[in-house]
Amino acid sequence: MVYADNAATTKLDIEAFEAMKPYLLEQYSNASQPYSFARSAKKALKQARETIAACINADPEEIFFTSGGTESDNWAVKGVMDAWDGNSTFLTSQIEHHAILHTASAVERMGFTVGLMPVSEKGVVSPETIEEYITENTKLVSVMFANNEIGTIQPIKELVKIAHDKGAIFHTDAVQAVGHVPIDVKELGIDMLSASAHKFNGPKGVGFLWVKKGTPLKSYMDGGAQERGARAGTENIAGIVGMAISLKNNCNIMESTIAHLRRLEKILLEELRKKNIDFIRNGSDFRIPGNMSLSFKGFEGEVLLHRLDLKGICVSTGSACDSQNTQISHVLKAINLSEGYALGTIRISLGKDNSEHDIYQIVDAIESIVSRRA
Ligand code: PLP
């Protein structure tokens, strides 16, 4: 099998797995208990918080563990908007993940106004766009660091400055970026950031929300006093430990992973071009390494996905299919991709374990499918 769907999820780092095991089998205490058996769980939480904070240049007390990217996004948006009245606006972009877009619909149902900023054909939210959409009533702006379908990285630093000038809080969904590109929360100037472990070779069902000290965020999960009273629920110690180790390991080899993925991308594009295949690559030049959204004119993404699957290759589509119609995703619609190409879009997302050999297998499979040999 060639796994080329790393933007959907990644393989668990073996060192992270080994580090998790004792917290499931031997050191299984509840970290909130006062007896000495709970000490190692408490210590593990502290260490994990420090490790994660160091990877994004944050302070450990600003890291709040969650169940993943979806929860972090829900908490950031609902937890800020909850402090305001119905005249307030939440501003976000048209190409966000559904964890943000559906949360935007939820805050709209609560009576708030939602602004959805359009993007350029490369999928970029420009500073001019945010200037146009932001008002005195905008309390929160959320723009994703990198898009999950097309990989485009946003000019976050510039967008933050405009949001702050209007007094709005800035959140970024960095689920596709953390552990893949360097992130320094202080340098970016943001107020909140969402991340998810399973996107950076950590376990599924665990993530974190980074919240800059002093940001007015209400608690989202009510219950016990965990996470300094901000996020109730017994901590997933093993998951949190695995998340910290996998993030540290990915950050340690980030530079070489980026070079490896850029090289594989280049080979894939060159080989497809050599074979005279009619395709375009979506997104801006400033993209998440390994994320390749490719559109093949006159094909259906869903068909390409299933034919590749028959050849043992895992990719995703940029268009979601129901039994009657193939629908073009909200991201491909937002970048105004013509229907002929948009319908034939697949996302190949390469990871650190992919090899040059995988790339040749993918190219050969695509060639045989689009030349209708298989
Ligand atoms: N945000 C983005 C950009 C994502 O790509 C994803 C997952 O695909 C999520 C949020 C949701 O993260 P999780 O799967 O951890 O809930």
Side-chain angles (χ1 to χ4, degrees), residues 173-224:
D173 172 345
V175 166
Q176 291 290 334
V178 170
H180 299 284
V181 290
I183 290 190
D184 179 328
V185 291
K186 292 190 179 129
E187 211 233 313
L188 287 168
I190 53 181
D191 302 300
M192 292 187 287
L193 169 145
S194 299
S196 176
H198 75 102
K199 305 289 186 180
F200 51 77
N201 304 94
K204 292 168 182 59
V206 60
F208 66 89
L209 180 66
W210 168 78
V211 186
K212 191 171 82 185
K213 235 171 270 159
T215 305
L217 177 73
K218 292 208 172 171
S219 76
Y220 173 57
M221 299 280 271
D222 296 315

Side-chain angles (χ1 to χ4, degrees), residues 353-364:
D353 293 331
N354 284 116
S355 64
E356 206 174 302
H357 183 253
D358 292 344
I359 301 303
Y360 286 104
Q361 263 184 268
I362 295 172
V363 171
D364 285 349

Side-chain angles (χ1 to χ4, degrees), residues 282-338:
N282 304 305
S284 72
D285 291 338
F286 196 37
R287 287 192 202 87
I288 281 295
N291 184 313
M292 307 183 77
S293 168
L294 307 180
S295 299
F296 297 87
K297 197 172 182 183
F299 286 88
E300 279 196 17
E302 215 66 29
V303 173
L304 292 174
L305 180 148
H306 290 298
R307 298 238 166 109
L308 286 168
D309 185 26
L310 289 173
K311 292 171 185 291
I313 297 168
C314 304
V315 301
S316 336
T317 58
S319 50
C321 193
D322 62 38
S323 53
Q324 309 292 312
N325 312 295
T326 296
Q327 291 177 352
I328 298 167
S329 79
H330 67 286
V331 176
L332 299 181
K333 276 188 190 149
I335 62 170
N336 248 323
L337 191 61
S338 73

Side-chain angles (χ1 to χ4, degrees), residues 42-112:
K42 270 191 204 103
K43 198 168 154 212
L45 277 181
K46 183 170 179 284
Q47 264 176 3
R49 217 182 290 284
E50 287 167 2
T51 302
I52 290 169
C55 292
I56 59 168
N57 192 25
D59 295 336
E61 321 80 75
E62 298 174 326
I63 304 289
F64 293 88
F65 298 126
T66 66
S67 64
T70 302
E71 183 189 327
S72 299
D73 285 348
N74 269 265
W75 183 12
V77 176
K78 292 172 183 166
V80 168
M81 294 311 289
D82 198 28
W84 299 97
D85 62 28
N87 287 327
S88 306
T89 301
F90 167 49
L91 185 57
T92 187
S93 85
Q94 289 177 354
I95 62 163
E96 298 297 310
H97 189 273
H98 285 127
I100 288 289
L101 290 179
H102 290 172
T103 303
S105 306
V107 297
E108 208 164 32
R109 287 194 297 275
M110 291 171 194
F112 296 105

Side-chain angles (χ1 to χ4, degrees), residues 223-261:
Q226 292 90 353
E227 297 300 284
R228 286 87 75 209
R231 194 276 187 185
T234 302
E235 302 88 346
N236 172 3
I237 311 280
I240 290 166
V241 167
M243 169 162 69
I245 303 280
S246 59
L247 181 57
K248 186 179 78 179
N249 286 351
N250 269 20
C251 289
N252 284 344
I253 56 163
M254 192 179 276
E255 222 177 289
S256 63
T257 305
I258 293 176
H260 172 64
L261 293 174

